[in-house]
Amino acid sequence: MKSYIKQAVGGLNTRILCTALVTAMAAGHASSGYAGATFKIDDTKWISLGLGLRSSFQTVEGAAGNNGNKWSNDFNLDNTRLYVNGQIHKYLKVEFNTDCQTCSNGGELRVLDAIGKVEYNSMVNLWVGRMLVPAERREMNGPFYSPIYQVYSSGSPFEPADFNTTIQNNGTSAGSFGRDDGATFWGSVFNDRFQYAIGFFRGLRGGANVNDNILYAQRVSYNFWEVEKNPGYYTSGTYYGKGGDILTVAASNQYQQDGAGQGATSVNNVAIAADPGNFRGTGVDVLMEKVLPNNGVVTLNGEYKNYDISGGYSQATRNANYPNSFAMFEGNSYDVSGMYLFPQKIGIGLIQPYIRYVNIMPDTSSNRNSYQAGVNYVIDGHNAVVSLNYIYGDMATKGITNYKSNVTGDNVNSLVLGFQWQI
C-alpha cells in the first residue's frame, strides 16, 4: 500500500489488460494503498493492482451468555481489500480501492476510496473524491499500517467519518471507515520536513446538519529526524526500522457546524424538535522510532484527543426520542504504545512484543480504559504479520460509541489472534 512494487509488463495488449482489471475488481476490495504489480501502458500511463486481507480469531470473557465464566469464540473476516491505482498523465493519477462492507455477514463489495489526483510537485497537490479525512495518525495509518492489530475497537474515540460503518443520509453518518466525499490539498515544505493536509468534506449527512454545512479538516506534522515517506498525507504507525530514525509530531483538527446531535423528527406521530450541536475534534500525536546499534528497533506511539460539542447538544441526555442522534464523543482521551523489534530472525520472521494503554474520559459518562500486551510476528513488514493481542479493560462492556450518563460495565479479558497479508 505504501510503495509500488513495479513489475513492468511489456507488450501487454489492451484486451488482456481490461480482462485483468475486470477480474480484479470483481474479486474484492482495497484501502488507501499501493501494492502488487504494475502494468505499463506507455511511457506515462500505467495501472497497478494489489490485494489485502485481515482475518482474526477473538475470544472474550463473559460474552457467550449469562455465565460470567463463559468465553465467546469468534472467527472474523475483518478486511478483504483490492487496490487499484493508475496514472493517466505525468501530473494526473487515480486511485480506486474496495473493501467488504459486512465481512462477518457474507460480505458486500463497497467503494472505500475513489480519488482523482492532481500531483504537481511536493509542495502543492490536490485530491478529489472519496478519501481519508485528515485526522490523527491512527486514522491515517488505517488498519493495514497500524502497529497493533486490534487498534480500533479497543482504542480512542472515533472521528465523525469513522463513527458509522456505512454511508447514510439520515443523520447517522459522516462517512465510513475514516473516508468521506470531498477534496484535500496537501504537500510539504522545508525539505519535506513540514507536511500539511487541508480538507473540505460533506461530513454529517442529514439529521442535525439541515443546512449542509461542510466539515473542515486539517493536519500538520513536522519530521525532526528522518522524513517519513508515504503516499500523499497518509502515515504508518511503524516502519520496522526501514525508515531510519523517526521523530514526528503532528496536530489535527476537524470542525463542522451542526455536525452532531439530532435533526427534527417524529416519534409515534409526535413532533420532536431538532437538537443540533457544533462538533470540534482536536488531536496531537507523536511517533518515535529508533534503530539501536544492535539493529533492534524501538517504536513509541502517543496520541491525545480533545473533542467538544457546542451549541446545546449533549448525548448524556439523549433518550428514546432521539433514535438517530449523531452522538459524537465529548471529552479527552489518551492512547500510548511501545514496542521493540528484536533483530534476530526466528524462522521466517522477527519477534516484536508491545504494550498499549488507552484511557477515555468523557464529559458526559464514566471513564473507560484498555490495557493491552501482545506480540507481532513480522514476516514481511506490513505485508505479512501475525499478531497475538491480550486486552483487559471495560471498553468491551461499556463500548466506545455510547457515552450516556448511565453507562456501566465490568473489566473483562479478551484475546485476539490476527493475520494480515498484502501484496
Side-chain angles (χ1 to χ4, degrees), residues 243-304:
D245 294 339
I246 302 290
L247 177 59
T248 303
V249 179
S252 59
N253 187 74
Q254 296 183 12
Y255 177 81
Q256 184 176 28
Q257 183 176 353
D258 298 336
Q262 171 70 48
T265 186
S266 63
V267 177
N268 297 326
N269 296 321
V270 177
I272 303 297
D275 185 20
N278 304 321
F279 171 78
R280 190 265 308 156
T282 304
V284 177
D285 60 80
V286 179
L287 169 65
M288 191 280 283
E289 186 158 282
K290 178 69 175 178
V291 181
L292 302 180
N294 67 346
N295 291 324
V297 182
V298 174
T299 304
L300 302 175
N301 275 276
E303 167 192 298
Y304 165 73

Side-chain angles (χ1 to χ4, degrees), residues 300-423:
L300 302 175
N301 275 276
E303 167 192 298
Y304 165 73
K305 288 182 179 178
N306 174 266
Y307 283 13
D308 181 65
I309 300 176
S310 60
Y313 173 78
S314 172
Q315 63 171 281
T317 59
R318 183 169 65 107
N319 54 45
N321 290 334
Y322 295 87
N324 293 324
S325 176
F326 196 63
M328 288 300 301
F329 168 76
E330 302 172 73
N332 300 281
S333 69
Y334 299 87
D335 186 337
V336 293
S337 64
M339 51 190 57
Y340 177 72
L341 182 68
F342 285 94
Q344 300 85 7
K345 181 173 286 190
I346 298 178
I348 60 174
L350 301 174
I351 300 296
Q352 185 184 49
Y354 61 84
I355 56 174
R356 182 190 187 198
Y357 174 68
V358 181
N359 188 12
I360 300 177
M361 298 167 288
D363 292 341
T364 59
S365 184
S366 59
N367 293 353
R368 55 211 71 185
N369 53 44
S370 170
Y371 301 86
Q372 298 184 49
V375 59
N376 294 325
Y377 186 60
V378 184
I379 303 169
D380 182 19
H382 293 291
N383 293 326
V385 184
V386 180
S387 179
L388 182 63
N389 189 10
Y390 166 76
I391 308 169
Y392 175 79
D394 55 8
M395 287 190 190
T397 54
K398 291 182 179 178
I400 55 175
T401 59
N402 183 2
Y403 297 104
K404 295 182 182 179
S405 58
N406 60 350
V407 172
T408 60
D410 296 326
N411 290 316
V412 297
N413 299 282
S414 65
L415 197 65
V416 179
L417 177 63
F419 299 85
Q420 175 173 305
W421 316 128
Q422 275 192 121
I423 187 172

Side-chain angles (χ1 to χ4, degrees), residues 111-165:
V111 175
L112 190 67
D113 303 283
I115 312 172
K117 305 178 178 182
V118 181
E119 298 186 355
Y120 182 70
N121 58 35
S122 63
M123 293 185 291
V124 180
N125 301 277
L126 173 64
W127 289 5
V128 296
R130 180 170 299 173
M131 71 200 79
L132 281 168
V133 179
E136 92 284 358
R137 182 176 290 270
R138 183 194 65 163
E139 287 294 321
M140 298 297 95
N141 294 342
F144 282 88
Y145 290 85
S146 292
I148 297 174
Y149 191 91
Q150 196 78 348
V151 71
Y152 292 104
S153 61
S154 58
S156 56
F158 291 119
E159 284 69 22
D162 224 0
F163 189 82
N164 200 326
T165 58

